[in-house]
Amino acid sequence: MKASYSVADAAFIIELPESHIRGWLQRAVLNFGSRTLTRRIVFNERDLRCLAVMRELVAHGLSPNIAAVKASFIVDRARDHALVAVVSLDPGRSPMLIPGDGLDLSGHAVVTVALAPMWAEIKQRIRELKK
Protein backbone atom coordinates (compact mmCIF):
# COMPACT_ATOMS: atom_id res chain seq x y z
CA MET A 1 0.00 0.00 0.00
CA LYS A 2 1.31 3.43 -0.92
CA ALA A 3 1.74 6.01 1.81
CA SER A 4 -0.98 8.62 2.02
CA TYR A 5 -0.79 12.03 3.63
CA SER A 6 -3.51 14.24 5.06
CA VAL A 7 -3.92 17.90 4.17
CA ALA A 8 -2.09 18.81 7.40
CA ASP A 9 0.75 16.41 6.54
CA ALA A 10 0.97 17.83 3.01
CA ALA A 11 1.10 21.37 4.37
CA PHE A 12 4.02 20.41 6.63
CA ILE A 13 5.88 18.50 3.92
CA ILE A 14 5.70 21.15 1.22
CA GLU A 15 5.84 24.12 3.59
CA LEU A 16 2.59 25.68 2.50
CA PRO A 17 -0.16 26.90 4.81
CA GLU A 18 -2.89 24.32 5.23
CA SER A 19 -5.43 27.06 4.44
CA HIS A 20 -3.99 27.40 0.91
CA ILE A 21 -4.48 23.70 0.20
CA ARG A 22 -7.98 23.70 1.70
CA GLY A 23 -8.88 26.79 -0.32
CA TRP A 24 -7.71 25.14 -3.53
CA LEU A 25 -9.74 22.04 -2.61
CA GLN A 26 -12.88 24.11 -1.96
CA ARG A 27 -12.57 25.84 -5.32
CA ALA A 28 -11.94 22.47 -7.02
CA VAL A 29 -8.62 23.75 -8.36
CA LEU A 30 -6.67 20.57 -7.58
CA ASN A 31 -6.77 17.76 -10.09
CA PHE A 32 -4.78 15.45 -7.81
CA GLY A 33 -5.35 13.82 -4.45
CA SER A 34 -8.03 11.26 -3.70
CA ARG A 35 -10.86 10.81 -1.26
CA THR A 36 -11.07 8.04 1.32
CA LEU A 37 -14.28 6.15 2.10
CA THR A 38 -14.93 8.74 4.81
CA ARG A 39 -14.55 11.54 2.17
CA ARG A 40 -11.26 12.82 3.57
CA ILE A 41 -8.74 13.98 1.01
CA VAL A 42 -5.36 12.25 1.00
CA PHE A 43 -2.26 12.77 -1.09
CA ASN A 44 0.42 10.37 -2.29
CA GLU A 45 4.01 11.34 -3.09
CA ARG A 46 3.15 12.28 -6.68
CA ASP A 47 0.44 14.59 -5.36
CA LEU A 48 2.92 16.18 -2.93
CA ARG A 49 5.25 16.88 -5.83
CA CYS A 50 2.37 18.45 -7.77
CA LEU A 51 1.50 20.65 -4.80
CA ALA A 52 5.13 21.75 -4.42
CA VAL A 53 5.44 22.66 -8.10
CA MET A 54 2.05 24.37 -7.97
CA ARG A 55 3.19 26.39 -4.95
CA GLU A 56 6.17 27.70 -6.95
CA LEU A 57 4.10 28.54 -10.01
CA VAL A 58 1.45 30.39 -7.99
CA ALA A 59 4.22 32.29 -6.19
CA HIS A 60 5.39 33.50 -9.61
CA GLY A 61 1.96 34.77 -10.65
CA LEU A 62 0.14 31.89 -12.33
CA SER A 63 -3.45 31.38 -11.27
CA PRO A 64 -4.02 28.27 -9.13
CA ASN A 65 -6.18 26.69 -11.88
CA ILE A 66 -3.45 26.98 -14.51
CA ALA A 67 -0.69 26.13 -12.03
CA ALA A 68 -2.44 22.87 -11.05
CA VAL A 69 -2.68 21.70 -14.66
CA LYS A 70 0.93 22.63 -15.43
CA ALA A 71 2.17 21.06 -12.18
CA SER A 72 0.56 17.72 -13.08
CA PHE A 73 2.09 17.88 -16.56
CA ILE A 74 5.55 18.61 -15.13
CA VAL A 75 5.49 15.92 -12.43
CA ASP A 76 4.16 13.21 -14.74
CA ARG A 77 6.84 13.84 -17.35
CA ALA A 78 9.80 14.55 -15.07
CA ARG A 79 9.36 11.53 -12.79
CA ASP A 80 12.61 11.19 -10.81
CA HIS A 81 14.92 12.84 -13.34
CA ALA A 82 17.07 15.83 -12.32
CA LEU A 83 15.37 18.31 -14.62
CA VAL A 84 14.37 21.95 -14.56
CA ALA A 85 10.82 22.86 -15.50
CA VAL A 86 10.53 25.96 -17.66
CA VAL A 87 7.05 27.44 -17.54
CA SER A 88 5.86 30.36 -19.62
CA LEU A 89 3.67 32.91 -17.88
CA ASP A 90 1.45 32.64 -20.98
CA PRO A 91 -1.24 30.13 -19.92
CA GLY A 92 -1.55 28.79 -23.46
CA ARG A 93 1.99 27.44 -23.61
CA SER A 94 2.97 24.01 -22.31
CA PRO A 95 5.83 23.63 -19.80
CA MET A 96 9.17 22.37 -21.04
CA LEU A 97 11.61 20.13 -19.17
CA ILE A 98 15.35 20.57 -19.67
CA PRO A 99 18.44 19.06 -18.00
CA GLY A 100 19.49 20.79 -14.81
CA ASP A 101 22.58 22.24 -16.49
CA GLY A 102 20.62 23.53 -19.49
CA LEU A 103 19.90 26.97 -20.84
CA ASP A 104 20.21 30.26 -19.02
CA LEU A 105 16.73 31.77 -19.33
CA SER A 106 17.18 34.72 -16.99
CA GLY A 107 15.50 37.85 -18.27
CA HIS A 108 12.73 35.97 -20.09
CA ALA A 109 9.06 35.81 -19.07
CA VAL A 110 9.35 32.27 -17.77
CA VAL A 111 9.50 30.54 -14.41
CA THR A 112 12.18 27.91 -13.86
CA VAL A 113 11.73 25.28 -11.16
CA ALA A 114 14.61 22.94 -10.28
CA LEU A 115 12.86 19.65 -9.57
CA ALA A 116 15.61 17.47 -8.04
CA PRO A 117 16.14 19.69 -4.96
CA MET A 118 12.38 19.96 -4.55
CA TRP A 119 11.95 16.16 -4.68
CA ALA A 120 14.80 15.71 -2.17
CA GLU A 121 13.23 18.21 0.21
CA ILE A 122 9.87 16.43 0.01
CA LYS A 123 11.54 13.10 0.88
CA GLN A 124 13.36 14.75 3.81
CA ARG A 125 10.16 16.33 5.16
CA ILE A 126 8.38 12.95 4.87
CA ARG A 127 11.16 11.39 6.97
CA GLU A 128 10.75 14.18 9.53
CA LEU A 129 7.00 13.62 9.61
CA LYS A 130 7.45 9.91 10.33
CA LYS A 131 9.70 10.54 13.38
Side-chain angles (χ1 to χ4, degrees):
M1 182 173 159
K2 288 187 176 181
S4 61
Y5 304 94
S6 68
V7 173
D9 293 341
F12 170 80
I13 291 166
I14 64 167
E15 299 181 277
L16 184 71
E18 193 175 330
S19 61
H20 283 54
I21 298 171
R22 292 196 184 283
W24 293 339
L25 288 166
Q26 284 182 336
R27 292 189 303 274
V29 170
L30 301 181
N31 56 352
F32 34 86
S34 59
R35 296 223 178 247
T36 65
L37 293 175
T38 59
R39 306 290 300 148
R40 295 186 66 150
I41 191 85
V42 292
F43 300 103
N44 60 29
E45 191 169 340
R46 177 213 174 259
D47 300 329
L48 295 175
R49 289 177 174 193
C50 288
L51 283 168
V53 171
M54 184 178 169
R55 174 197 67 205
E56 292 302 311
L57 298 179
V58 168
H60 283 88
L62 268 73
S63 73
N65 290 4
I66 294 167
V69 172
K70 291 189 180 213
S72 290
F73 177 93
I74 290 166
V75 170
D76 290 343
R77 280 163 184 73
R79 297 193 186 120
D80 288 327
H81 302 291
L83 301 171
V84 173
V86 180
V87 182
S88 171
L89 296 178
D90 175 355
R93 297 195 180 270
S94 292
M96 176 175 66
L97 298 169
I98 60 173
D101 58 354
L103 308 168
D104 176 14
L105 297 170
S106 55
H108 296 277
V110 296
V111 176
T112 58
V113 180
L115 301 176
M118 186 180 289
W119 296 174
E121 185 164 334
I122 288 170
K123 286 192 179 299
Q124 176 59 36
R125 302 281 294 179
I126 288 171
R127 283 192 293 274
E128 290 174 22
L129 183 68
K130 290 181 179 180
K131 287 183 182 178

PDB file of all heavy atoms in Angstrom, residues 84-123:
ATOM      1  N   VAL A  84      14.896  20.636 -14.916  1.00  0.00           N
ATOM      2  CA  VAL A  84      14.371  21.947 -14.562  1.00  0.00           C
ATOM      3  C   VAL A  84      13.123  22.159 -15.410  1.00  0.00           C
ATOM      4  O   VAL A  84      13.144  21.942 -16.624  1.00  0.00           O
ATOM      5  CB  VAL A  84      15.405  23.062 -14.847  1.00  0.00           C
ATOM      6  CG1 VAL A  84      14.784  24.437 -14.643  1.00  0.00           C
ATOM      7  CG2 VAL A  84      16.623  22.879 -13.952  1.00  0.00           C
ATOM      8  N   ALA A  85      12.036  22.545 -14.765  1.00  0.00           N
ATOM      9  CA  ALA A  85      10.818  22.859 -15.500  1.00  0.00           C
ATOM     10  C   ALA A  85      10.864  24.326 -15.891  1.00  0.00           C
ATOM     11  O   ALA A  85      11.140  25.182 -15.071  1.00  0.00           O
ATOM     12  CB  ALA A  85       9.603  22.591 -14.626  1.00  0.00           C
ATOM     13  N   VAL A  86      10.592  24.595 -17.157  1.00  0.00           N
ATOM     14  CA  VAL A  86      10.535  25.960 -17.663  1.00  0.00           C
ATOM     15  C   VAL A  86       9.078  26.213 -18.038  1.00  0.00           C
ATOM     16  O   VAL A  86       8.514  25.524 -18.876  1.00  0.00           O
ATOM     17  CB  VAL A  86      11.444  26.155 -18.896  1.00  0.00           C
ATOM     18  CG1 VAL A  86      11.369  27.586 -19.405  1.00  0.00           C
ATOM     19  CG2 VAL A  86      12.877  25.756 -18.565  1.00  0.00           C
ATOM     20  N   VAL A  87       8.471  27.194 -17.372  1.00  0.00           N
ATOM     21  CA  VAL A  87       7.050  27.444 -17.540  1.00  0.00           C
ATOM     22  C   VAL A  87       6.856  28.878 -17.997  1.00  0.00           C
ATOM     23  O   VAL A  87       7.286  29.819 -17.331  1.00  0.00           O
ATOM     24  CB  VAL A  87       6.295  27.209 -16.211  1.00  0.00           C
ATOM     25  CG1 VAL A  87       4.805  27.425 -16.393  1.00  0.00           C
ATOM     26  CG2 VAL A  87       6.581  25.809 -15.680  1.00  0.00           C
ATOM     27  N   SER A  88       6.181  29.031 -19.122  1.00  0.00           N
ATOM     28  CA  SER A  88       5.857  30.363 -19.618  1.00  0.00           C
ATOM     29  C   SER A  88       4.734  30.947 -18.780  1.00  0.00           C
ATOM     30  O   SER A  88       3.844  30.238 -18.321  1.00  0.00           O
ATOM     31  CB  SER A  88       5.411  30.278 -21.078  1.00  0.00           C
ATOM     32  OG  SER A  88       4.904  31.520 -21.510  1.00  0.00           O
ATOM     33  N   LEU A  89       4.765  32.246 -18.581  1.00  0.00           N
ATOM     34  CA  LEU A  89       3.673  32.911 -17.883  1.00  0.00           C
ATOM     35  C   LEU A  89       2.446  33.032 -18.775  1.00  0.00           C
ATOM     36  O   LEU A  89       1.375  33.392 -18.319  1.00  0.00           O
ATOM     37  CB  LEU A  89       4.125  34.277 -17.376  1.00  0.00           C
ATOM     38  CG  LEU A  89       5.237  34.224 -16.332  1.00  0.00           C
ATOM     39  CD1 LEU A  89       5.659  35.625 -15.917  1.00  0.00           C
ATOM     40  CD2 LEU A  89       4.813  33.416 -15.116  1.00  0.00           C
ATOM     41  N   ASP A  90       2.586  32.688 -20.057  1.00  0.00           N
ATOM     42  CA  ASP A  90       1.453  32.636 -20.981  1.00  0.00           C
ATOM     43  C   ASP A  90       0.721  31.327 -20.735  1.00  0.00           C
ATOM     44  O   ASP A  90       1.280  30.247 -20.941  1.00  0.00           O
ATOM     45  CB  ASP A  90       1.981  32.689 -22.418  1.00  0.00           C
ATOM     46  CG  ASP A  90       0.893  32.532 -23.460  1.00  0.00           C
ATOM     47  OD1 ASP A  90      -0.277  32.285 -23.097  1.00  0.00           O
ATOM     48  OD2 ASP A  90       1.216  32.649 -24.652  1.00  0.00           O
ATOM     49  N   PRO A  91      -0.534  31.371 -20.266  1.00  0.00           N
ATOM     50  CA  PRO A  91      -1.239  30.133 -19.918  1.00  0.00           C
ATOM     51  C   PRO A  91      -1.452  29.183 -21.084  1.00  0.00           C
ATOM     52  O   PRO A  91      -1.680  27.994 -20.892  1.00  0.00           O
ATOM     53  CB  PRO A  91      -2.575  30.619 -19.353  1.00  0.00           C
ATOM     54  CG  PRO A  91      -2.695  32.039 -19.704  1.00  0.00           C
ATOM     55  CD  PRO A  91      -1.332  32.559 -20.031  1.00  0.00           C
ATOM     56  N   GLY A  92      -1.340  29.654 -22.310  1.00  0.00           N
ATOM     57  CA  GLY A  92      -1.553  28.789 -23.461  1.00  0.00           C
ATOM     58  C   GLY A  92      -0.353  27.952 -23.860  1.00  0.00           C
ATOM     59  O   GLY A  92      -0.460  27.089 -24.726  1.00  0.00           O
ATOM     60  N   ARG A  93       0.780  28.176 -23.239  1.00  0.00           N
ATOM     61  CA  ARG A  93       1.994  27.437 -23.610  1.00  0.00           C
ATOM     62  C   ARG A  93       2.249  26.306 -22.619  1.00  0.00           C
ATOM     63  O   ARG A  93       2.095  26.472 -21.421  1.00  0.00           O
ATOM     64  CB  ARG A  93       3.196  28.366 -23.644  1.00  0.00           C
ATOM     65  CG  ARG A  93       3.056  29.455 -24.688  1.00  0.00           C
ATOM     66  CD  ARG A  93       4.402  30.109 -24.919  1.00  0.00           C
ATOM     67  NE  ARG A  93       4.308  31.155 -25.904  1.00  0.00           N
ATOM     68  CZ  ARG A  93       4.468  30.967 -27.210  1.00  0.00           C
ATOM     69  NH1 ARG A  93       4.732  29.780 -27.680  1.00  0.00           N
ATOM     70  NH2 ARG A  93       4.378  31.986 -28.038  1.00  0.00           N
ATOM     71  N   SER A  94       2.674  25.173 -23.152  1.00  0.00           N
ATOM     72  CA  SER A  94       2.971  24.015 -22.306  1.00  0.00           C
ATOM     73  C   SER A  94       4.339  24.173 -21.655  1.00  0.00           C
ATOM     74  O   SER A  94       5.246  24.770 -22.243  1.00  0.00           O
ATOM     75  CB  SER A  94       2.989  22.732 -23.137  1.00  0.00           C
ATOM     76  OG  SER A  94       1.700  22.445 -23.598  1.00  0.00           O
ATOM     77  N   PRO A  95       4.505  23.612 -20.446  1.00  0.00           N
ATOM     78  CA  PRO A  95       5.827  23.628 -19.803  1.00  0.00           C
ATOM     79  C   PRO A  95       6.829  22.799 -20.600  1.00  0.00           C
ATOM     80  O   PRO A  95       6.458  21.913 -21.358  1.00  0.00           O
ATOM     81  CB  PRO A  95       5.563  22.989 -18.438  1.00  0.00           C
ATOM     82  CG  PRO A  95       4.107  23.076 -18.240  1.00  0.00           C
ATOM     83  CD  PRO A  95       3.492  23.024 -19.603  1.00  0.00           C
ATOM     84  N   MET A  96       8.087  23.088 -20.390  1.00  0.00           N
ATOM     85  CA  MET A  96       9.171  22.366 -21.035  1.00  0.00           C
ATOM     86  C   MET A  96      10.098  21.863 -19.942  1.00  0.00           C
ATOM     87  O   MET A  96      10.286  22.527 -18.927  1.00  0.00           O
ATOM     88  CB  MET A  96       9.897  23.352 -21.957  1.00  0.00           C
ATOM     89  CG  MET A  96      11.113  22.813 -22.646  1.00  0.00           C
ATOM     90  SD  MET A  96      11.797  24.016 -23.828  1.00  0.00           S
ATOM     91  CE  MET A  96      12.348  25.332 -22.769  1.00  0.00           C
ATOM     92  N   LEU A  97      10.660  20.698 -20.126  1.00  0.00           N
ATOM     93  CA  LEU A  97      11.615  20.134 -19.172  1.00  0.00           C
ATOM     94  C   LEU A  97      12.978  20.079 -19.836  1.00  0.00           C
ATOM     95  O   LEU A  97      13.105  19.614 -20.960  1.00  0.00           O
ATOM     96  CB  LEU A  97      11.177  18.741 -18.733  1.00  0.00           C
ATOM     97  CG  LEU A  97       9.838  18.698 -18.006  1.00  0.00           C
ATOM     98  CD1 LEU A  97       9.354  17.268 -17.854  1.00  0.00           C
ATOM     99  CD2 LEU A  97       9.939  19.362 -16.658  1.00  0.00           C
ATOM    100  N   ILE A  98      13.990  20.573 -19.132  1.00  0.00           N
ATOM    101  CA  ILE A  98      15.349  20.573 -19.666  1.00  0.00           C
ATOM    102  C   ILE A  98      16.286  20.017 -18.602  1.00  0.00           C
ATOM    103  O   ILE A  98      15.957  20.018 -17.417  1.00  0.00           O
ATOM    104  CB  ILE A  98      15.802  21.988 -20.101  1.00  0.00           C
ATOM    105  CG1 ILE A  98      15.777  22.963 -18.910  1.00  0.00           C
ATOM    106  CG2 ILE A  98      14.957  22.508 -21.253  1.00  0.00           C
ATOM    107  CD1 ILE A  98      16.359  24.332 -19.202  1.00  0.00           C
ATOM    108  N   PRO A  99      17.466  19.525 -18.997  1.00  0.00           N
ATOM    109  CA  PRO A  99      18.438  19.063 -18.002  1.00  0.00           C
ATOM    110  C   PRO A  99      18.807  20.193 -17.050  1.00  0.00           C
ATOM    111  O   PRO A  99      18.754  21.372 -17.414  1.00  0.00           O
ATOM    112  CB  PRO A  99      19.642  18.643 -18.847  1.00  0.00           C
ATOM    113  CG  PRO A  99      19.087  18.383 -20.200  1.00  0.00           C
ATOM    114  CD  PRO A  99      17.923  19.342 -20.358  1.00  0.00           C
ATOM    115  N   GLY A 100      19.174  19.820 -15.837  1.00  0.00           N
ATOM    116  CA  GLY A 100      19.493  20.793 -14.807  1.00  0.00           C
ATOM    117  C   GLY A 100      20.609  21.752 -15.177  1.00  0.00           C
ATOM    118  O   GLY A 100      20.675  22.860 -14.674  1.00  0.00           O
ATOM    119  N   ASP A 101      21.479  21.361 -16.090  1.00  0.00           N
ATOM    120  CA  ASP A 101      22.584  22.241 -16.491  1.00  0.00           C
ATOM    121  C   ASP A 101      22.305  22.865 -17.855  1.00  0.00           C
ATOM    122  O   ASP A 101      23.198  23.189 -18.602  1.00  0.00           O
ATOM    123  CB  ASP A 101      23.900  21.460 -16.522  1.00  0.00           C
ATOM    124  CG  ASP A 101      23.841  20.267 -17.469  1.00  0.00           C
ATOM    125  OD1 ASP A 101      22.760  19.976 -18.015  1.00  0.00           O
ATOM    126  OD2 ASP A 101      24.883  19.628 -17.652  1.00  0.00           O
ATOM    127  N   GLY A 102      21.034  23.039 -18.170  1.00  0.00           N
ATOM    128  CA  GLY A 102      20.617  23.530 -19.492  1.00  0.00           C
ATOM    129  C   GLY A 102      20.764  25.017 -19.681  1.00  0.00           C
ATOM    130  O   GLY A 102      21.675  25.654 -19.158  1.00  0.00           O
ATOM    131  N   LEU A 103      19.854  25.582 -20.403  1.00  0.00           N
ATOM    132  CA  LEU A 103      19.897  26.972 -20.839  1.00  0.00           C
ATOM    133  C   LEU A 103      19.804  27.978 -19.702  1.00  0.00           C
ATOM    134  O   LEU A 103      19.171  27.729 -18.696  1.00  0.00           O
ATOM    135  CB  LEU A 103      18.696  27.226 -21.772  1.00  0.00           C
ATOM    136  CG  LEU A 103      18.503  26.277 -22.936  1.00  0.00           C
ATOM    137  CD1 LEU A 103      17.137  26.507 -23.552  1.00  0.00           C
ATOM    138  CD2 LEU A 103      19.590  26.476 -23.959  1.00  0.00           C
ATOM    139  N   ASP A 104      20.392  29.128 -19.921  1.00  0.00           N
ATOM    140  CA  ASP A 104      20.205  30.258 -19.016  1.00  0.00           C
ATOM    141  C   ASP A 104      19.047  31.078 -19.564  1.00  0.00           C
ATOM    142  O   ASP A 104      19.159  31.692 -20.622  1.00  0.00           O
ATOM    143  CB  ASP A 104      21.476  31.107 -18.932  1.00  0.00           C
ATOM    144  CG  ASP A 104      21.285  32.345 -18.061  1.00  0.00           C
ATOM    145  OD1 ASP A 104      20.278  32.407 -17.321  1.00  0.00           O
ATOM    146  OD2 ASP A 104      22.129  33.240 -18.128  1.00  0.00           O
ATOM    147  N   LEU A 105      17.921  31.071 -18.853  1.00  0.00           N
ATOM    148  CA  LEU A 105      16.729  31.766 -19.327  1.00  0.00           C
ATOM    149  C   LEU A 105      16.426  33.016 -18.525  1.00  0.00           C
ATOM    150  O   LEU A 105      15.318  33.535 -18.581  1.00  0.00           O
ATOM    151  CB  LEU A 105      15.531  30.805 -19.281  1.00  0.00           C
ATOM    152  CG  LEU A 105      15.650  29.595 -20.197  1.00  0.00           C
ATOM    153  CD1 LEU A 105      14.546  28.596 -19.900  1.00  0.00           C
ATOM    154  CD2 LEU A 105      15.601  30.023 -21.647  1.00  0.00           C
ATOM    155  N   SER A 106      17.416  33.515 -17.783  1.00  0.00           N
ATOM    156  CA  SER A 106      17.178  34.721 -16.994  1.00  0.00           C
ATOM    157  C   SER A 106      16.829  35.872 -17.932  1.00  0.00           C
ATOM    158  O   SER A 106      17.341  35.985 -19.034  1.00  0.00           O
ATOM    159  CB  SER A 106      18.397  35.047 -16.135  1.00  0.00           C
ATOM    160  OG  SER A 106      19.541  35.142 -16.946  1.00  0.00           O
ATOM    161  N   GLY A 107      15.912  36.711 -17.473  1.00  0.00           N
ATOM    162  CA  GLY A 107      15.499  37.851 -18.270  1.00  0.00           C
ATOM    163  C   GLY A 107      14.327  37.573 -19.189  1.00  0.00           C
ATOM    164  O   GLY A 107      13.833  38.477 -19.843  1.00  0.00           O
ATOM    165  N   HIS A 108      13.874  36.320 -19.260  1.00  0.00           N
ATOM    166  CA  HIS A 108      12.726  35.972 -20.093  1.00  0.00           C
ATOM    167  C   HIS A 108      11.491  35.817 -19.213  1.00  0.00           C
ATOM    168  O   HIS A 108      11.589  35.620 -18.007  1.00  0.00           O
ATOM    169  CB  HIS A 108      12.994  34.672 -20.859  1.00  0.00           C
ATOM    170  CG  HIS A 108      14.127  34.802 -21.835  1.00  0.00           C
ATOM    171  ND1 HIS A 108      13.953  35.320 -23.088  1.00  0.00           N
ATOM    172  CD2 HIS A 108      15.441  34.509 -21.722  1.00  0.00           C
ATOM    173  CE1 HIS A 108      15.115  35.324 -23.724  1.00  0.00           C
ATOM    174  NE2 HIS A 108      16.040  34.839 -22.909  1.00  0.00           N
ATOM    175  N   ALA A 109      10.323  35.897 -19.815  1.00  0.00           N
ATOM    176  CA  ALA A 109       9.060  35.806 -19.073  1.00  0.00           C
ATOM    177  C   ALA A 109       8.686  34.349 -18.816  1.00  0.00           C
ATOM    178  O   ALA A 109       7.671  33.854 -19.266  1.00  0.00           O
ATOM    179  CB  ALA A 109       7.952  36.517 -19.842  1.00  0.00           C
ATOM    180  N   VAL A 110       9.577  33.669 -18.108  1.00  0.00           N
ATOM    181  CA  VAL A 110       9.346  32.271 -17.767  1.00  0.00           C
ATOM    182  C   VAL A 110       9.700  32.043 -16.308  1.00  0.00           C
ATOM    183  O   VAL A 110      10.426  32.824 -15.704  1.00  0.00           O
ATOM    184  CB  VAL A 110      10.175  31.291 -18.647  1.00  0.00           C
ATOM    185  CG1 VAL A 110       9.770  31.379 -20.103  1.00  0.00           C
ATOM    186  CG2 VAL A 110      11.653  31.523 -18.487  1.00  0.00           C
ATOM    187  N   VAL A 111       9.168  30.972 -15.766  1.00  0.00           N
ATOM    188  CA  VAL A 111       9.496  30.537 -14.415  1.00  0.00           C
ATOM    189  C   VAL A 111      10.296  29.256 -14.553  1.00  0.00           C
ATOM    190  O   VAL A 111       9.908  28.367 -15.307  1.00  0.00           O
ATOM    191  CB  VAL A 111       8.213  30.254 -13.593  1.00  0.00           C
ATOM    192  CG1 VAL A 111       8.557  29.718 -12.223  1.00  0.00           C
ATOM    193  CG2 VAL A 111       7.349  31.493 -13.498  1.00  0.00           C
ATOM    194  N   THR A 112      11.426  29.158 -13.858  1.00  0.00           N
ATOM    195  CA  THR A 112      12.181  27.907 -13.859  1.00  0.00           C
ATOM    196  C   THR A 112      12.097  27.303 -12.463  1.00  0.00           C
ATOM    197  O   THR A 112      12.226  28.006 -11.460  1.00  0.00           O
ATOM    198  CB  THR A 112      13.651  28.123 -14.263  1.00  0.00           C
ATOM    199  OG1 THR A 112      14.246  29.044 -13.375  1.00  0.00           O
ATOM    200  CG2 THR A 112      13.762  28.635 -15.690  1.00  0.00           C
ATOM    201  N   VAL A 113      11.864  26.006 -12.422  1.00  0.00           N
ATOM    202  CA  VAL A 113      11.734  25.284 -11.159  1.00  0.00           C
ATOM    203  C   VAL A 113      12.670  24.086 -11.207  1.00  0.00           C
ATOM    204  O   VAL A 113      12.470  23.177 -12.021  1.00  0.00           O
ATOM    205  CB  VAL A 113      10.277  24.805 -10.922  1.00  0.00           C
ATOM    206  CG1 VAL A 113      10.168  24.070  -9.609  1.00  0.00           C
ATOM    207  CG2 VAL A 113       9.300  25.974 -10.973  1.00  0.00           C
ATOM    208  N   ALA A 114      13.692  24.079 -10.371  1.00  0.00           N
ATOM    209  CA  ALA A 114      14.612  22.941 -10.283  1.00  0.00           C
ATOM    210  C   ALA A 114      13.907  21.829  -9.513  1.00  0.00           C
ATOM    211  O   ALA A 114      13.566  21.992  -8.345  1.00  0.00           O
ATOM    212  CB  ALA A 114      15.900  23.349  -9.596  1.00  0.00           C
ATOM    213  N   LEU A 115      13.681  20.712 -10.154  1.00  0.00           N
ATOM    214  CA  LEU A 115      12.862  19.653  -9.569  1.00  0.00           C
ATOM    215  C   LEU A 115      13.622  18.753  -8.602  1.00  0.00           C
ATOM    216  O   LEU A 115      13.075  18.361  -7.574  1.00  0.00           O
ATOM    217  CB  LEU A 115      12.223  18.826 -10.687  1.00  0.00           C
ATOM    218  CG  LEU A 115      11.325  19.627 -11.636  1.00  0.00           C
ATOM    219  CD1 LEU A 115      10.827  18.736 -12.760  1.00  0.00           C
ATOM    220  CD2 LEU A 115      10.176  20.271 -10.898  1.00  0.00           C
ATOM    221  N   ALA A 116      14.872  18.409  -8.904  1.00  0.00           N
ATOM    222  CA  ALA A 116      15.611  17.472  -8.043  1.00  0.00           C
ATOM    223  C   ALA A 116      15.715  17.971  -6.597  1.00  0.00           C
ATOM    224  O   ALA A 116      15.434  17.205  -5.663  1.00  0.00           O
ATOM    225  CB  ALA A 116      16.988  17.182  -8.625  1.00  0.00           C
ATOM    226  N   PRO A 117      16.087  19.229  -6.359  1.00  0.00           N
ATOM    227  CA  PRO A 117      16.136  19.686  -4.965  1.00  0.00           C
ATOM    228  C   PRO A 117      14.762  19.679  -4.304  1.00  0.00           C
ATOM    229  O   PRO A 117      14.639  19.392  -3.113  1.00  0.00           O
ATOM    230  CB  PRO A 117      16.678  21.115  -5.062  1.00  0.00           C
ATOM    231  CG  PRO A 117      17.276  21.244  -6.409  1.00  0.00           C
ATOM    232  CD  PRO A 117      16.601  20.237  -7.279  1.00  0.00           C
ATOM    233  N   MET A 118      13.732  19.968  -5.094  1.00  0.00           N
ATOM    234  CA  MET A 118      12.377  19.955  -4.553  1.00  0.00           C
ATOM    235  C   MET A 118      11.980  18.536  -4.144  1.00  0.00           C
ATOM    236  O   MET A 118      11.430  18.313  -3.078  1.00  0.00           O
ATOM    237  CB  MET A 118      11.391  20.505  -5.592  1.00  0.00           C
ATOM    238  CG  MET A 118       9.977  20.679  -5.076  1.00  0.00           C
ATOM    239  SD  MET A 118       8.879  21.327  -6.351  1.00  0.00           S
ATOM    240  CE  MET A 118       9.478  23.004  -6.480  1.00  0.00           C
ATOM    241  N   TRP A 119      12.278  17.556  -4.997  1.00  0.00           N
ATOM    242  CA  TRP A 119      11.950  16.157  -4.679  1.00  0.00           C
ATOM    243  C   TRP A 119      12.709  15.714  -3.429  1.00  0.00           C
ATOM    244  O   TRP A 119      12.162  15.025  -2.580  1.00  0.00           O
ATOM    245  CB  TRP A 119      12.297  15.228  -5.829  1.00  0.00           C
ATOM    246  CG  TRP A 119      11.595  15.353  -7.151  1.00  0.00           C
ATOM    247  CD1 TRP A 119      11.924  14.634  -8.268  1.00  0.00           C
ATOM    248  CD2 TRP A 119      10.493  16.172  -7.541  1.00  0.00           C
ATOM    249  NE1 TRP A 119      11.095  14.987  -9.316  1.00  0.00           N
ATOM    250  CE2 TRP A 119      10.203  15.923  -8.897  1.00  0.00           C
ATOM    251  CE3 TRP A 119       9.706  17.122  -6.875  1.00  0.00           C
ATOM    252  CZ2 TRP A 119       9.182  16.557  -9.594  1.00  0.00           C
ATOM    253  CZ3 TRP A 119       8.690  17.777  -7.567  1.00  0.00           C
ATOM    254  CH2 TRP A 119       8.432  17.477  -8.905  1.00  0.00           C
ATOM    255  N   ALA A 120      13.992  16.096  -3.331  1.00  0.00           N
ATOM    256  CA  ALA A 120      14.802  15.714  -2.167  1.00  0.00           C
ATOM    257  C   ALA A 120      14.236  16.324  -0.887  1.00  0.00           C
ATOM    258  O   ALA A 120      14.195  15.659   0.157  1.00  0.00           O
ATOM    259  CB  ALA A 120      16.253  16.151  -2.372  1.00  0.00           C
ATOM    260  N   GLU A 121      13.795  17.564  -0.975  1.00  0.00           N
ATOM    261  CA  GLU A 121      13.231  18.208   0.211  1.00  0.00           C
ATOM    262  C   GLU A 121      11.931  17.538   0.634  1.00  0.00           C
ATOM    263  O   GLU A 121      11.671  17.360   1.820  1.00  0.00           O
ATOM    264  CB  GLU A 121      12.994  19.696  -0.038  1.00  0.00           C
ATOM    265  CG  GLU A 121      12.523  20.393   1.216  1.00  0.00           C
ATOM    266  CD  GLU A 121      12.631  21.897   1.136  1.00  0.00           C
ATOM    267  OE1 GLU A 121      13.471  22.413   0.382  1.00  0.00           O
ATOM    268  OE2 GLU A 121      11.855  22.549   1.844  1.00  0.00           O
ATOM    269  N   ILE A 122      11.112  17.134  -0.322  1.00  0.00           N
ATOM    270  CA  ILE A 122       9.868  16.425   0.007  1.00  0.00           C
ATOM    271  C   ILE A 122      10.193  15.126   0.731  1.00  0.00           C
ATOM    272  O   ILE A 122       9.586  14.809   1.754  1.00  0.00           O
ATOM    273  CB  ILE A 122       9.029  16.170  -1.263  1.00  0.00           C
ATOM    274  CG1 ILE A 122       8.413  17.496  -1.752  1.00  0.00           C
ATOM    275  CG2 ILE A 122       7.936  15.132  -1.005  1.00  0.00           C
ATOM    276  CD1 ILE A 122       7.761  17.415  -3.105  1.00  0.00           C
ATOM    277  N   LYS A 123      11.155  14.363   0.223  1.00  0.00           N
ATOM    278  CA  LYS A 123      11.538  13.099   0.883  1.00  0.00           C
ATOM    279  C   LYS A 123      12.042  13.362   2.306  1.00  0.00           C
ATOM    280  O   LYS A 123      11.716  12.618   3.228  1.00  0.00           O
ATOM    281  CB  LYS A 123      12.584  12.364   0.058  1.00  0.00           C
ATOM    282  CG  LYS A 123      12.015  11.727  -1.187  1.00  0.00           C
ATOM    283  CD  LYS A 123      13.012  10.772  -1.793  1.00  0.00           C
ATOM    284  CE  LYS A 123      12.458  10.101  -3.028  1.00  0.00           C
ATOM    285  NZ  LYS A 123      11.282   9.300  -2.790  1.00  0.00           N
TER     286      LYS A 123
END
